[in-house]
Amino acid sequence: MTFFKGYRTKYVHNAIVLNARPDDIWREITNVGVADFDFPWLFRLLGVPKPLSAEVIKEGVGGYRVAKFSNGAEFHQNILEWEVNRKYRFQFNATQNFRVGHFMNLSKGPFQILTGGYDLLDHEDGILLILSSNYELHGILGRLMHLSFRWVVYAFQKHLLKGIALNLEQK
Protein backbone atom coordinates (compact mmCIF):
# COMPACT_ATOMS: atom_id res chain seq x y z
CA MET A 1 0.00 0.00 0.00
CA THR A 2 1.45 3.35 -0.96
CA PHE A 3 -0.43 5.05 1.88
CA PHE A 4 2.18 3.82 4.37
CA LYS A 5 5.28 4.55 2.29
CA GLY A 6 7.31 7.73 2.11
CA TYR A 7 6.34 10.83 4.03
CA ARG A 8 3.89 13.69 3.97
CA THR A 9 4.57 17.29 4.91
CA LYS A 10 1.91 19.03 7.00
CA TYR A 11 1.35 22.59 8.19
CA VAL A 12 -0.23 23.89 11.40
CA HIS A 13 -0.50 27.42 12.80
CA ASN A 14 -1.92 29.48 15.65
CA ALA A 15 -2.41 33.19 16.13
CA ILE A 16 -2.94 35.69 18.91
CA VAL A 17 -3.63 39.44 18.89
CA LEU A 18 -1.25 41.31 21.16
CA ASN A 19 -1.56 44.86 22.38
CA ALA A 20 2.18 45.54 22.36
CA ARG A 21 4.78 47.27 20.25
CA PRO A 22 6.29 45.21 17.41
CA ASP A 23 9.83 45.60 18.79
CA ASP A 24 8.72 44.23 22.20
CA ILE A 25 7.04 41.28 20.51
CA TRP A 26 10.13 40.73 18.37
CA ARG A 27 12.33 40.50 21.46
CA GLU A 28 9.94 37.95 22.96
CA ILE A 29 9.81 35.70 19.89
CA THR A 30 13.53 35.70 19.24
CA ASN A 31 14.63 35.27 22.86
CA VAL A 32 11.86 33.44 24.68
CA GLY A 33 11.76 32.63 28.38
CA VAL A 34 8.81 30.50 29.47
CA ALA A 35 10.38 28.34 32.21
CA ASP A 36 8.35 30.01 34.97
CA PHE A 37 4.97 29.41 33.37
CA ASP A 38 2.70 26.49 34.15
CA PHE A 39 3.07 23.57 31.78
CA PRO A 40 -0.20 21.80 30.96
CA TRP A 41 -0.59 18.49 32.79
CA LEU A 42 -1.60 16.74 29.58
CA PHE A 43 1.76 17.57 27.98
CA ARG A 44 3.54 16.14 31.01
CA LEU A 45 1.38 13.02 30.81
CA LEU A 46 2.22 12.62 27.10
CA GLY A 47 5.93 13.01 27.81
CA VAL A 48 6.33 16.34 26.01
CA PRO A 49 9.32 18.14 27.54
CA LYS A 50 8.68 21.57 29.03
CA PRO A 51 10.18 24.45 27.05
CA LEU A 52 12.50 26.61 29.13
CA SER A 53 14.03 29.17 26.80
CA ALA A 54 15.13 29.99 23.30
CA GLU A 55 18.02 32.32 22.62
CA VAL A 56 19.29 33.75 19.35
CA ILE A 57 23.04 33.18 19.25
CA LYS A 58 23.60 34.83 15.88
CA GLU A 59 21.01 37.14 14.31
CA GLY A 60 19.90 37.22 10.69
CA VAL A 61 19.65 34.74 7.86
CA GLY A 62 22.31 32.10 8.37
CA GLY A 63 22.32 32.67 12.12
CA TYR A 64 20.83 30.35 14.69
CA ARG A 65 18.84 30.07 17.88
CA VAL A 66 19.01 27.39 20.58
CA ALA A 67 15.79 26.26 22.28
CA LYS A 68 16.23 24.39 25.57
CA PHE A 69 13.86 21.96 27.24
CA SER A 70 13.45 20.47 30.72
CA ASN A 71 14.77 17.04 29.71
CA GLY A 72 18.10 18.47 28.53
CA ALA A 73 17.12 18.24 24.86
CA GLU A 74 17.57 21.15 22.48
CA PHE A 75 16.43 22.38 19.10
CA HIS A 76 19.15 24.12 17.13
CA GLN A 77 17.25 26.40 14.84
CA ASN A 78 18.94 27.68 11.69
CA ILE A 79 17.47 31.06 10.74
CA LEU A 80 15.96 31.00 7.24
CA GLU A 81 14.18 34.40 7.17
CA TRP A 82 14.78 37.45 9.32
CA GLU A 83 12.80 40.65 8.83
CA VAL A 84 13.01 42.54 12.12
CA ASN A 85 9.57 43.21 13.62
CA ARG A 86 7.87 41.36 10.74
CA LYS A 87 8.99 37.79 10.01
CA TYR A 88 11.21 35.15 11.52
CA ARG A 89 11.51 31.60 10.13
CA PHE A 90 13.82 28.79 11.17
CA GLN A 91 14.70 25.19 10.49
CA PHE A 92 14.45 22.75 13.41
CA ASN A 93 17.35 20.44 14.17
CA ALA A 94 16.52 18.29 17.19
CA THR A 95 19.36 16.88 19.27
CA GLN A 96 19.63 13.08 19.35
CA ASN A 97 18.13 12.89 22.85
CA PHE A 98 15.00 14.84 21.93
CA ARG A 99 12.24 12.43 22.88
CA VAL A 100 8.51 13.03 23.03
CA GLY A 101 6.01 10.58 24.39
CA HIS A 102 8.84 8.85 26.27
CA PHE A 103 9.81 6.85 23.18
CA MET A 104 9.57 9.00 20.04
CA ASN A 105 12.82 10.57 18.89
CA LEU A 106 12.13 13.85 17.06
CA SER A 107 15.51 13.77 15.32
CA LYS A 108 14.79 10.57 13.37
CA GLY A 109 11.36 9.17 14.27
CA PRO A 110 7.99 8.98 12.50
CA PHE A 111 7.26 12.61 13.33
CA GLN A 112 9.76 15.37 12.57
CA ILE A 113 9.31 19.11 12.83
CA LEU A 114 10.98 20.73 9.82
CA THR A 115 10.47 24.48 10.05
CA GLY A 116 8.73 27.02 12.20
CA GLY A 117 8.26 30.71 12.23
CA TYR A 118 6.53 33.83 13.40
CA ASP A 119 4.78 36.53 11.41
CA LEU A 120 3.80 39.90 12.87
CA LEU A 121 0.92 41.58 11.04
CA ASP A 122 -0.85 44.84 11.74
CA HIS A 123 -4.30 44.31 13.22
CA GLU A 124 -7.01 46.78 14.26
CA ASP A 125 -6.57 45.70 17.89
CA GLY A 126 -2.77 45.59 17.93
CA ILE A 127 -0.39 43.10 16.33
CA LEU A 128 -1.46 39.69 15.04
CA LEU A 129 1.27 37.20 15.92
CA ILE A 130 1.14 33.97 13.91
CA LEU A 131 3.19 30.93 14.89
CA SER A 132 3.46 28.22 12.23
CA SER A 133 5.18 24.85 11.87
CA ASN A 134 5.80 22.40 9.05
CA TYR A 135 6.28 18.78 9.99
CA GLU A 136 6.68 15.41 8.31
CA LEU A 137 5.05 12.09 9.04
CA HIS A 138 6.99 8.95 8.23
CA GLY A 139 5.89 5.33 7.97
CA ILE A 140 2.90 3.54 9.39
CA LEU A 141 3.11 5.10 12.85
CA GLY A 142 3.30 8.58 11.36
CA ARG A 143 0.17 7.97 9.31
CA LEU A 144 -1.80 6.30 12.08
CA MET A 145 -1.01 8.99 14.62
CA HIS A 146 -1.35 12.00 12.31
CA LEU A 147 -4.27 13.60 14.15
CA SER A 148 -2.63 13.06 17.53
CA PHE A 149 0.63 14.63 16.32
CA ARG A 150 -1.26 17.55 14.79
CA TRP A 151 -3.21 18.19 17.98
CA VAL A 152 -0.06 18.16 20.14
CA VAL A 153 1.72 20.64 17.83
CA TYR A 154 -1.36 22.88 17.76
CA ALA A 155 -1.74 22.81 21.56
CA PHE A 156 2.00 23.37 22.06
CA GLN A 157 1.88 26.43 19.78
CA LYS A 158 -1.04 27.82 21.79
CA HIS A 159 0.95 27.31 25.01
CA LEU A 160 3.96 29.18 23.59
CA LEU A 161 1.81 32.07 22.36
CA LYS A 162 0.16 32.38 25.77
CA GLY A 163 3.60 32.43 27.41
CA ILE A 164 4.75 35.19 25.06
CA ALA A 165 1.58 37.19 25.83
CA LEU A 166 2.14 36.77 29.59
CA ASN A 167 5.76 37.91 29.25
CA LEU A 168 4.62 41.02 27.39
CA GLU A 169 1.94 41.78 30.01
CA GLN A 170 4.50 41.62 32.80
CA LYS A 171 6.73 44.27 31.24
Side-chain angles (χ1 to χ4, degrees):
M1 292 174 91
T2 58
F3 177 76
F4 293 114
K5 292 185 179 181
Y7 61 88
R8 293 181 52 175
T9 301
K10 300 289 185 178
Y11 171 83
V12 65
H13 73 280
N14 263 286
I16 189 170
V17 176
L18 300 169
N19 187 8
R21 298 179 338 180
D23 55 325
D24 291 335
I25 297 169
W26 184 258
R27 277 192 295 279
E28 283 300 317
I29 65 173
T30 55
N31 292 292
V32 181
V34 292
D36 295 336
F37 297 117
D38 288 333
F39 195 55
W41 66 268
L42 187 55
F43 287 152
R44 291 191 301 269
L45 180 70
L46 293 172
V48 175
K50 180 181 180 181
L52 301 176
S53 65
E55 179 183 1
V56 171
I57 307 302
K58 181 180 176 202
E59 293 183 355
V61 175
Y64 68 99
R65 179 171 89 160
V66 176
K68 297 182 179 189
F69 292 79
S70 60
N71 64 351
E74 296 180 347
F75 273 126
H76 294 234
Q77 303 168 339
N78 298 330
I79 299 172
L80 303 172
E81 292 182 62
W82 182 272
E83 294 176 35
V84 175
N85 296 341
R86 285 285 157 214
K87 184 182 286 196
Y88 168 51
R89 297 232 179 287
F90 45 88
Q91 175 185 18
F92 283 101
N93 298 298
T95 55
Q96 293 297 320
N97 65 334
F98 205 117
R99 298 202 179 277
V100 173
H102 308 291
F103 67 91
M104 216 172 315
N105 189 332
L106 287 188
S107 68
K108 57 185 175 187
F111 173 77
Q112 295 174 3
I113 300 176
L114 303 175
T115 62
Y118 293 93
D119 290 286
L120 287 77
L121 304 172
D122 292 326
H123 186 276
E124 63 188 32
D125 296 325
I127 301 293
L128 179 66
L129 178 62
I130 302 169
L131 172 56
S132 61
S133 302
N134 289 308
Y135 61 93
E136 280 184 353
L137 303 168
H138 296 263
I140 294 171
L141 187 59
R143 296 291 192 269
L144 293 176
M145 295 189 67
H146 166 247
L147 293 178
S148 299
F149 289 143
R150 184 174 187 81
W151 178 85
V152 169
V153 172
Y154 181 83
F156 195 80
Q157 286 179 346
K158 274 206 147 341
H159 171 71
L160 287 177
L161 290 175
K162 285 180 186 176
I164 290 167
L166 284 170
N167 280 347
L168 288 165
E169 289 173 10
Q170 293 176 359
K171 291 189 177 202

Short mmCIF file of all heavy atoms in Angstrom, two decimals, residues 15-53:
data_model
loop_
_atom_site.label_atom_id
_atom_site.label_comp_id
_atom_site.label_asym_id
_atom_site.label_seq_id
_atom_site.Cartn_x
_atom_site.Cartn_y
_atom_site.Cartn_z
N ALA A 15 -2.59 31.74 16.13
CA ALA A 15 -2.41 33.19 16.13
C ALA A 15 -3.00 33.79 17.40
O ALA A 15 -3.89 33.21 18.02
CB ALA A 15 -3.08 33.81 14.90
N ILE A 16 -2.45 34.94 17.76
CA ILE A 16 -2.94 35.69 18.91
C ILE A 16 -2.79 37.17 18.58
O ILE A 16 -1.84 37.57 17.91
CB ILE A 16 -2.16 35.30 20.19
CG1 ILE A 16 -2.79 35.89 21.43
CG2 ILE A 16 -0.69 35.69 20.07
CD1 ILE A 16 -2.21 35.36 22.74
N VAL A 17 -3.74 37.99 19.04
CA VAL A 17 -3.63 39.44 18.89
C VAL A 17 -3.04 39.99 20.17
O VAL A 17 -3.52 39.71 21.27
CB VAL A 17 -5.01 40.08 18.59
CG1 VAL A 17 -4.87 41.60 18.53
CG2 VAL A 17 -5.58 39.55 17.29
N LEU A 18 -1.97 40.75 20.02
CA LEU A 18 -1.25 41.31 21.16
C LEU A 18 -1.32 42.83 21.12
O LEU A 18 -1.13 43.44 20.06
CB LEU A 18 0.21 40.86 21.13
CG LEU A 18 0.44 39.35 21.18
CD1 LEU A 18 1.88 39.02 20.86
CD2 LEU A 18 0.03 38.81 22.53
N ASN A 19 -1.56 43.42 22.27
CA ASN A 19 -1.56 44.86 22.38
C ASN A 19 -0.19 45.28 22.89
O ASN A 19 -0.01 45.56 24.08
CB ASN A 19 -2.68 45.33 23.32
CG ASN A 19 -2.82 46.83 23.33
OD1 ASN A 19 -2.20 47.53 22.54
ND2 ASN A 19 -3.63 47.33 24.24
N ALA A 20 0.79 45.23 22.01
CA ALA A 20 2.18 45.54 22.36
C ALA A 20 2.88 46.10 21.12
O ALA A 20 2.40 45.95 20.00
CB ALA A 20 2.90 44.28 22.84
N ARG A 21 3.99 46.72 21.36
CA ARG A 21 4.78 47.27 20.25
C ARG A 21 5.48 46.14 19.51
O ARG A 21 5.93 45.17 20.14
CB ARG A 21 5.80 48.28 20.77
CG ARG A 21 5.17 49.46 21.46
CD ARG A 21 6.18 50.42 21.98
NE ARG A 21 7.48 49.80 22.18
CZ ARG A 21 8.55 50.40 22.62
NH1 ARG A 21 8.50 51.66 22.94
NH2 ARG A 21 9.69 49.78 22.77
N PRO A 22 5.63 46.26 18.19
CA PRO A 22 6.29 45.21 17.41
C PRO A 22 7.70 44.87 17.91
O PRO A 22 8.08 43.71 17.93
CB PRO A 22 6.33 45.77 15.99
CG PRO A 22 5.18 46.72 15.93
CD PRO A 22 5.09 47.31 17.33
N ASP A 23 8.47 45.89 18.34
CA ASP A 23 9.83 45.60 18.79
C ASP A 23 9.83 44.82 20.12
O ASP A 23 10.71 43.99 20.34
CB ASP A 23 10.70 46.86 18.88
CG ASP A 23 10.11 47.95 19.75
OD1 ASP A 23 8.88 48.10 19.76
OD2 ASP A 23 10.88 48.66 20.41
N ASP A 24 8.83 45.03 20.98
CA ASP A 24 8.72 44.23 22.20
C ASP A 24 8.35 42.79 21.87
O ASP A 24 8.89 41.85 22.45
CB ASP A 24 7.68 44.83 23.16
CG ASP A 24 8.14 46.16 23.76
OD1 ASP A 24 9.37 46.39 23.84
OD2 ASP A 24 7.26 46.96 24.14
N ILE A 25 7.43 42.62 20.95
CA ILE A 25 7.04 41.28 20.51
C ILE A 25 8.23 40.58 19.87
O ILE A 25 8.50 39.41 20.14
CB ILE A 25 5.84 41.34 19.53
CG1 ILE A 25 4.61 41.92 20.24
CG2 ILE A 25 5.54 39.95 18.96
CD1 ILE A 25 3.46 42.26 19.31
N TRP A 26 8.97 41.30 19.05
CA TRP A 26 10.13 40.73 18.37
C TRP A 26 11.15 40.18 19.38
O TRP A 26 11.66 39.08 19.23
CB TRP A 26 10.79 41.78 17.48
CG TRP A 26 11.93 41.26 16.67
CD1 TRP A 26 13.26 41.42 16.92
CD2 TRP A 26 11.85 40.45 15.50
NE1 TRP A 26 14.01 40.79 15.97
CE2 TRP A 26 13.17 40.18 15.08
CE3 TRP A 26 10.79 39.95 14.76
CZ2 TRP A 26 13.46 39.42 13.96
CZ3 TRP A 26 11.07 39.19 13.63
CH2 TRP A 26 12.40 38.93 13.25
N ARG A 27 11.40 40.97 20.42
CA ARG A 27 12.33 40.50 21.46
C ARG A 27 11.82 39.22 22.11
O ARG A 27 12.59 38.31 22.41
CB ARG A 27 12.56 41.59 22.51
CG ARG A 27 13.61 42.60 22.10
CD ARG A 27 14.03 43.49 23.27
NE ARG A 27 12.96 44.34 23.77
CZ ARG A 27 12.60 45.49 23.20
NH1 ARG A 27 13.22 45.91 22.13
NH2 ARG A 27 11.63 46.20 23.73
N GLU A 28 10.52 39.14 22.33
CA GLU A 28 9.94 37.95 22.96
C GLU A 28 9.99 36.72 22.06
O GLU A 28 10.17 35.61 22.56
CB GLU A 28 8.48 38.20 23.38
CG GLU A 28 8.35 39.01 24.62
CD GLU A 28 9.00 38.36 25.82
OE1 GLU A 28 8.87 37.14 26.02
OE2 GLU A 28 9.64 39.09 26.58
N ILE A 29 9.83 36.88 20.77
CA ILE A 29 9.81 35.70 19.89
C ILE A 29 11.20 35.24 19.50
O ILE A 29 11.38 34.08 19.14
CB ILE A 29 8.94 35.90 18.62
CG1 ILE A 29 9.51 36.97 17.70
CG2 ILE A 29 7.50 36.18 19.01
CD1 ILE A 29 8.81 37.09 16.37
N THR A 30 12.17 36.12 19.59
CA THR A 30 13.53 35.70 19.24
C THR A 30 14.29 35.19 20.45
O THR A 30 15.14 34.31 20.31
CB THR A 30 14.31 36.85 18.55
OG1 THR A 30 14.30 38.00 19.39
CG2 THR A 30 13.72 37.17 17.19
N ASN A 31 14.00 35.71 21.61
CA ASN A 31 14.63 35.27 22.86
C ASN A 31 13.54 35.02 23.89
O ASN A 31 13.16 35.93 24.63
CB ASN A 31 15.63 36.32 23.36
CG ASN A 31 16.82 36.42 22.44
OD1 ASN A 31 17.61 35.50 22.34
ND2 ASN A 31 16.93 37.54 21.74
N VAL A 32 13.03 33.81 23.90
CA VAL A 32 11.86 33.44 24.68
C VAL A 32 12.28 32.85 26.02
O VAL A 32 13.19 32.03 26.08
CB VAL A 32 11.01 32.40 23.91
CG1 VAL A 32 9.77 32.03 24.69
CG2 VAL A 32 10.64 32.92 22.53
N GLY A 33 11.58 33.24 27.07
CA GLY A 33 11.76 32.63 28.38
C GLY A 33 10.41 32.24 28.94
O GLY A 33 9.62 33.10 29.29
N VAL A 34 10.12 30.95 28.98
CA VAL A 34 8.81 30.50 29.47
C VAL A 34 8.95 29.47 30.60
O VAL A 34 7.99 28.80 30.96
CB VAL A 34 7.93 29.93 28.33
CG1 VAL A 34 7.51 31.02 27.37
CG2 VAL A 34 8.64 28.81 27.59
N ALA A 35 10.13 29.35 31.17
CA ALA A 35 10.38 28.34 32.21
C ALA A 35 9.49 28.51 33.44
O ALA A 35 9.14 27.53 34.09
CB ALA A 35 11.85 28.37 32.63
N ASP A 36 9.13 29.75 33.77
CA ASP A 36 8.35 30.01 34.97
C ASP A 36 6.86 29.76 34.81
O ASP A 36 6.13 29.77 35.80
CB ASP A 36 8.56 31.46 35.43
CG ASP A 36 9.99 31.72 35.87
OD1 ASP A 36 10.68 30.76 36.25
OD2 ASP A 36 10.40 32.88 35.82
N PHE A 37 6.40 29.55 33.59
CA PHE A 37 4.97 29.41 33.37
C PHE A 37 4.52 27.97 33.53
O PHE A 37 5.27 27.03 33.29
CB PHE A 37 4.59 29.93 31.99
CG PHE A 37 4.86 31.40 31.83
CD1 PHE A 37 5.76 31.86 30.92
CD2 PHE A 37 4.22 32.32 32.66
CE1 PHE A 37 6.03 33.20 30.80
CE2 PHE A 37 4.48 33.67 32.55
CZ PHE A 37 5.39 34.12 31.62
N ASP A 38 3.27 27.82 33.98
CA ASP A 38 2.70 26.49 34.15
C ASP A 38 2.76 25.73 32.82
O ASP A 38 2.56 26.31 31.76
CB ASP A 38 1.24 26.58 34.59
CG ASP A 38 1.10 27.05 36.03
OD1 ASP A 38 2.04 26.82 36.80
OD2 ASP A 38 0.06 27.62 36.36
N PHE A 39 3.03 24.45 32.94
CA PHE A 39 3.07 23.57 31.78
C PHE A 39 1.88 22.65 31.89
O PHE A 39 1.69 22.00 32.93
CB PHE A 39 4.39 22.78 31.77
CG PHE A 39 4.71 22.12 30.46
CD1 PHE A 39 4.76 22.84 29.29
CD2 PHE A 39 4.95 20.76 30.40
CE1 PHE A 39 5.07 22.24 28.09
CE2 PHE A 39 5.25 20.14 29.22
CZ PHE A 39 5.31 20.89 28.05
N PRO A 40 1.03 22.60 30.87
CA PRO A 40 -0.20 21.80 30.96
C PRO A 40 0.07 20.35 31.37
O PRO A 40 1.00 19.71 30.87
CB PRO A 40 -0.77 21.88 29.55
CG PRO A 40 -0.23 23.18 29.01
CD PRO A 40 1.15 23.30 29.59
N TRP A 41 -0.74 19.86 32.27
CA TRP A 41 -0.59 18.49 32.79
C TRP A 41 -0.66 17.46 31.69
O TRP A 41 0.00 16.44 31.75
CB TRP A 41 -1.61 18.21 33.89
CG TRP A 41 -3.03 18.19 33.38
CD1 TRP A 41 -3.90 19.24 33.34
CD2 TRP A 41 -3.73 17.07 32.84
NE1 TRP A 41 -5.08 18.85 32.78
CE2 TRP A 41 -5.01 17.51 32.47
CE3 TRP A 41 -3.39 15.74 32.62
CZ2 TRP A 41 -5.95 16.68 31.89
CZ3 TRP A 41 -4.34 14.90 32.04
CH2 TRP A 41 -5.60 15.37 31.68
N LEU A 42 -1.47 17.72 30.66
CA LEU A 42 -1.60 16.74 29.58
C LEU A 42 -0.29 16.58 28.82
O LEU A 42 0.08 15.46 28.44
CB LEU A 42 -2.73 17.14 28.62
CG LEU A 42 -3.08 16.11 27.56
CD1 LEU A 42 -3.41 14.75 28.17
CD2 LEU A 42 -4.23 16.61 26.71
N PHE A 43 0.45 17.67 28.62
CA PHE A 43 1.76 17.57 27.98
C PHE A 43 2.70 16.72 28.82
O PHE A 43 3.43 15.88 28.30
CB PHE A 43 2.39 18.95 27.76
CG PHE A 43 1.76 19.75 26.65
CD1 PHE A 43 1.80 21.13 26.69
CD2 PHE A 43 1.16 19.15 25.58
CE1 PHE A 43 1.24 21.89 25.68
CE2 PHE A 43 0.59 19.90 24.56
CZ PHE A 43 0.62 21.27 24.61
N ARG A 44 2.68 16.94 30.13
CA ARG A 44 3.54 16.14 31.01
C ARG A 44 3.16 14.67 30.93
O ARG A 44 4.02 13.79 30.86
CB ARG A 44 3.43 16.64 32.46
CG ARG A 44 4.07 18.00 32.66
CD ARG A 44 4.20 18.36 34.13
NE ARG A 44 2.94 18.38 34.85
CZ ARG A 44 2.16 19.45 35.00
NH1 ARG A 44 2.54 20.60 34.50
NH2 ARG A 44 1.04 19.37 35.68
N LEU A 45 1.86 14.39 30.92
CA LEU A 45 1.38 13.02 30.81
C LEU A 45 1.83 12.37 29.49
O LEU A 45 2.20 11.20 29.47
CB LEU A 45 -0.15 12.99 30.91
CG LEU A 45 -0.81 11.63 30.82
CD1 LEU A 45 -0.49 10.82 32.08
CD2 LEU A 45 -2.32 11.78 30.67
N LEU A 46 1.82 13.13 28.42
CA LEU A 46 2.22 12.62 27.10
C LEU A 46 3.74 12.54 26.94
O LEU A 46 4.23 12.03 25.93
CB LEU A 46 1.65 13.51 25.99
CG LEU A 46 0.13 13.49 25.83
CD1 LEU A 46 -0.31 14.55 24.84
CD2 LEU A 46 -0.35 12.11 25.42
N GLY A 47 4.48 13.06 27.90
CA GLY A 47 5.93 13.01 27.81
C GLY A 47 6.54 14.10 26.95
O GLY A 47 7.65 13.98 26.46
N VAL A 48 5.80 15.19 26.76
CA VAL A 48 6.33 16.34 26.01
C VAL A 48 7.20 17.15 26.97
O VAL A 48 6.73 17.54 28.05
CB VAL A 48 5.18 17.22 25.46
CG1 VAL A 48 5.72 18.47 24.78
CG2 VAL A 48 4.30 16.41 24.51
N PRO A 49 8.46 17.38 26.63
CA PRO A 49 9.32 18.14 27.54
C PRO A 49 8.90 19.61 27.62
O PRO A 49 8.46 20.20 26.64
CB PRO A 49 10.71 17.99 26.93
CG PRO A 49 10.48 17.67 25.51
CD PRO A 49 9.17 16.96 25.42
N LYS A 50 9.05 20.17 28.80
CA LYS A 50 8.68 21.57 29.03
C LYS A 50 9.71 22.50 28.39
O LYS A 50 10.91 22.34 28.61
CB LYS A 50 8.62 21.84 30.53
CG LYS A 50 8.25 23.26 30.87
CD LYS A 50 8.21 23.50 32.35
CE LYS A 50 7.84 24.95 32.62
NZ LYS A 50 7.80 25.25 34.03
N PRO A 51 9.24 23.48 27.59
CA PRO A 51 10.18 24.45 27.05
C PRO A 51 10.65 25.39 28.15
O PRO A 51 9.87 25.78 29.03
CB PRO A 51 9.34 25.21 26.01
CG PRO A 51 7.93 25.04 26.45
CD PRO A 51 7.86 23.73 27.17
N LEU A 52 11.93 25.71 28.13
CA LEU A 52 12.50 26.61 29.13
C LEU A 52 12.87 27.96 28.54
O LEU A 52 12.52 29.00 29.08
CB LEU A 52 13.75 25.97 29.75
CG LEU A 52 13.55 24.62 30.43
CD1 LEU A 52 14.89 24.07 30.91
CD2 LEU A 52 12.55 24.73 31.57
N SER A 53 13.58 27.92 27.41
CA SER A 53 14.03 29.17 26.80
C SER A 53 14.44 28.93 25.37
O SER A 53 14.64 27.78 24.94
CB SER A 53 15.23 29.74 27.58
OG SER A 53 16.33 28.85 27.45
#
